[in-house]
Amino acid sequence: MRKVKLFILTAVMSICMSITALAGQWIQDNNGWRYQVENGKYPVNDWLQDNGKWYHFHGNGYMQTGWLEISSKWY
């Protein structure tokens, strides 16, 4: 039984370690902040969660600041 548990634990750890984390980077310029994802693209008209915080991006790819109303809800 102990060998079976060890095998399962090893298999689970191997699977978890093989999953690639999607990393990106924040970039600031004269227009504001953008978030470049690993493939080089930027979120557009979309939400992004980074370090437990949510951000929304304009159609031009820049992070929105202040209050914003989307579908009759305020964020």
Side-chain angles (χ1 to χ4, degrees):
M1 184 68 168
R2 186 174 176 174
K3 288 183 180 183
V4 172
K5 287 181 182 179
L6 182 59
F7 173 77
I8 292 172
L9 178 61
T10 304
V12 170
M13 288 178 63
S14 295
I15 291 169
C16 290
M17 293 172 130
S18 67
I19 296 173
T20 303
L22 294 177
Q25 63 177 339
W26 287 98
I27 299 170
Q28 184 180 27
D29 61 23
N30 292 335
N31 296 314
W33 285 94
R34 299 174 79 179
Y35 189 86
Q36 186 177 31
V37 293
E38 192 174 68
N39 65 6
K41 295 183 180 181
Y42 298 91
V44 174
N45 292 321
D46 202 5
W47 289 95
L48 170 90
Q49 186 178 20
D50 183 43
N51 291 325
K53 294 182 182 179
W54 285 95
Y55 303 91
H56 191 267
F57 296 85
H58 287 282
N60 60 10
Y62 285 91
M63 180 186 72
Q64 293 187 265
T65 59
W67 285 99
L68 106 115
E69 185 179 11
I70 300 175
S71 301
S72 302
K73 292 184 181 180
W74 286 94
Y75 300 92

